[in-house]
Amino acid sequence: MKLHTNYSLKDYNTFGIEAYAKEFVAVQSVNELKQVLQENKGKKLFILGGGSNMLLTKDIDALVLHINIKGISVISESDTHVNIQAMAGENWHEFVLHCINNNYGGLENLSLIPGNVGTTPIQNIGAYGTEIKDTFVSCNALNIETLETDTFTKDDCEFAYRESIFKGKLKGKYIITSVTFKLTKTDHKINTAYGDITEKLIDNGIIVATIKDVSNAVIAIRQSKLPDPKELGNSGSFFKNPIVPKTIFDKIQSKHPLMPYYVVSETEVKVPAGWLIEQSGFKGKRFGDAGVHSKQALVLVNYGNATGQEILNLSHKIQETVFNNFGIHIENEVNII
Ligand SMILES: Cc1cc2nc3c(=O)[nH]c(=O)nc-3n(C[C@H](O)[C@H](O)[C@H](O)COP(=O)(O)OP(=O)(O)OC[C@H]3O[C@@H](n4cnc5c(N)ncnc54)[C@H](O)[C@@H]3O)c2cc1C
């Protein structure tokens, strides 16, 4: 375990932004993590997973702890279900593939989301009609102050759309070290209702889909729509889809009858932020090396040498224009550092 100083984070964030950590250490086990925390008590800390949900706008004046703890184990199983635990540093997509290869169902719609397992509860990652809260059992997390491990159940986590207690009142207080999911071994609940999954399966000549078929369809759809961070720096959806009160939505819709929406409840409606951004004229636009992706307006991209500040400025310009056009504030999904 080597502690580096003035360490480049360019290869540790999917936006590919050049920024430096004052200090950096990668930990491979919970014991190493405790040791580093003990030896560096009082220092400002910054927790880094796969770096796929952050925009670095400056150097990090802290000790960066890169959580690289690996391991996957079955905790318990019955004829129909398995409780499987993955350590925080496991790559999420590889873990999903591991589950599919073992015929464990429930995570297939979340295929190809970048980042690490330990970060998935933080914003309750979701895609194609599924969120991790649907299969989440519990996570273990180290209290940074006491170095005790606490277990958080689904209820404890207060999951909501791209939200959890770890983004709210426990922000900065815990380091998640492992997550346990309850997955199906038989009677998988195949969910193809969202996005283009059904169309993709039909294109592939599949009538009765397996979890592997759904995963393959999701992977193909994502690859056709989202830029690969290895080729074009990005952090996925930069903004959350805004949820607006129905009364306000009705007023906006009377002026913009083509606005797409999903009903969330009797009183709330979710509007696709990508549509609002596209209608505001930003899709495919480039400002220096910062830009808006040509296929998905929700994704901001780094064409090579954009600074985090340039991408942040672009995000502000988008928020302002969308607000002026529609009266809707779109919030960041990405963590601004
Ligand atoms: C191309 C692309 C597509 C994406 N698609 C989706 C999508 O469909 N759905 C979706 O929900 N997200 C999506 N994302 C966002 C991202 O993949 C997820 O939010 C992912 O869970 C982030 O994981 P990470 O390990 O990279 O987090 P990081 O970026 O490393 O960290 C994110 C935040 O969590 C904190 N953190 C990291 N690890 C820990 C830990 N172990 N304990 C406590 N705090 C920690 C960090 O300090 C930071 O504040 C996408 C991103 C990209 C680049």
Side-chain angles (χ1 to χ4, degrees):
M1 195 177 31
K2 183 167 163 37
L3 194 136
H4 305 265
T5 51
N6 201 27
Y7 194 74
S8 170
L9 298 174
K10 194 172 166 64
D11 294 337
Y12 289 88
N13 71 101
T14 58
F15 255 122
I17 302 285
E18 183 65 283
Y20 285 82
K22 184 177 175 195
E23 292 181 307
F24 176 98
V25 66
V27 294
Q28 322 289 338
S29 68
V30 176
N31 279 344
E32 276 192 7
L33 177 60
K34 283 185 184 168
Q35 190 189 328
V36 172
L37 290 172
Q38 251 154 6
E39 287 171 2
N40 293 277
K41 236 182 164 33
K43 276 190 190 168
K44 231 167 102 184
L45 301 173
F46 180 86
I47 315 305
L48 177 67
S52 67
N53 198 16
M54 56 176 65
L55 176 66
L56 301 174
T57 61
K58 53 184 182 302
D59 290 340
I60 300 186
D61 184 24
L63 168 60
V64 173
L65 286 174
H66 177 42
I67 308 302
N68 199 27
I69 309 169
K70 305 281 189 192
I72 297 175
S73 48
V74 169
I75 301 289
S76 63
E77 63 185 311
S78 65
D79 289 345
T80 55
H81 289 88
V82 61
N83 276 19
I84 186 166
Q85 183 183 63
M87 300 307 287
E90 285 289 339
N91 174 272
W92 172 254
H93 180 58
E94 282 168 22
F95 173 61
V96 172
L97 293 183
H98 171 90
C99 294
I100 290 165
N101 291 337
N102 283 284
N103 194 33
Y104 301 152
L107 301 179
E108 53 283 353
N109 291 47
L110 302 175
S111 297
L112 210 63
I113 298 181
N116 291 352
V117 169
T119 327
T120 58
I122 291 176
Q123 74 155 10
N124 178 28
I125 63 163
Y128 296 96
T130 305
E131 294 178 322
I132 64 135
K133 74 167 170 49
D134 303 331
T135 46
F136 179 96
V137 175
S138 62
C139 66
N140 287 335
L142 195 69
N143 182 317
I144 293 175
E145 216 28 62
T146 63
L147 301 190
E148 298 287 332
T149 293
D150 290 326
T151 300
F152 291 83
T153 64
K154 191 191 295 197
D155 283 348
D156 295 335
C157 290
E158 299 178 6
F159 288 126
Y161 168 59
R162 299 296 181 275
E163 288 293 339
S164 76
I165 195 164
F166 300 106
K167 267 180 97 174
K169 55 181 178 260
L170 295 186
K171 191 176 161 73
K173 299 209 177 340
Y174 278 91
I175 300 173
I176 296 173
T177 53
S178 67
V179 188
T180 301
F181 300 91
K182 182 175 184 176
L183 304 178
T184 49
K185 287 169 72 178
T186 56
D187 296 329
H188 300 310
K189 289 193 188 69
I190 301 288
N191 174 4
T192 60
Y194 209 89
D196 308 331
I197 302 182
T198 303
E199 274 169 42
K200 195 79 203 164
L201 291 168
I202 292 169
D203 283 355
N204 294 346
I206 292 160
I207 295 160
V208 182
T210 62
I211 54 172
K212 180 82 184 157
D213 295 328
V214 173
S215 171
N216 286 342
V218 168
I219 291 171
I221 297 165
R222 293 184 71 99
Q223 283 173 335
S224 70
K225 286 192 176 160
L226 292 170
D228 179 352
K230 288 193 195 96
E231 286 157 21
L232 189 60
N234 76 90
S235 215
S237 304
F238 197 92
F239 303 101
K240 292 187 199 173
N241 292 317
I243 295 174
V244 288
K246 177 96 175 46
T247 45
I248 295 179
F249 171 78
D250 288 342
K251 275 189 203 146
I252 301 170
Q253 202 200 26
S254 64
K255 282 195 222 148
H256 305 277
L258 295 179
M259 180 164 66
Y261 63 93
Y262 312 98
V263 174
V264 175
S265 66
E266 272 178 24
T267 53
E268 286 181 322
V269 174
K270 195 193 272 185
V271 179
W275 186 85
L276 300 170
I277 298 167
E278 190 174 342
Q279 295 301 308
S280 301
F282 283 100
K283 192 174 182 182
K285 284 277 161 65
R286 182 171 171 167
F287 306 83
D289 265 2
V292 179
H293 192 240
S294 56
K295 290 188 191 156
Q296 173 50 277
L298 205 48
V299 177
L300 303 193
V301 294
N302 172 12
Y303 281 99
N305 291 312
T307 62
Q309 194 56 52
E310 283 166 344
I311 290 173
L312 186 63
N313 292 346
L314 172 57
S315 77
H316 288 157
K317 200 187 300 190
I318 292 170
Q319 281 171 322
E320 213 179 288
T321 313
V322 165
F323 187 78
N324 290 339
N325 290 346
F326 297 97
I328 296 178
H329 174 67
I330 49 171
E331 258 179 54
N332 294 336
E333 180 176 320
V334 169
N335 296 285
I336 310 296
I337 310 297

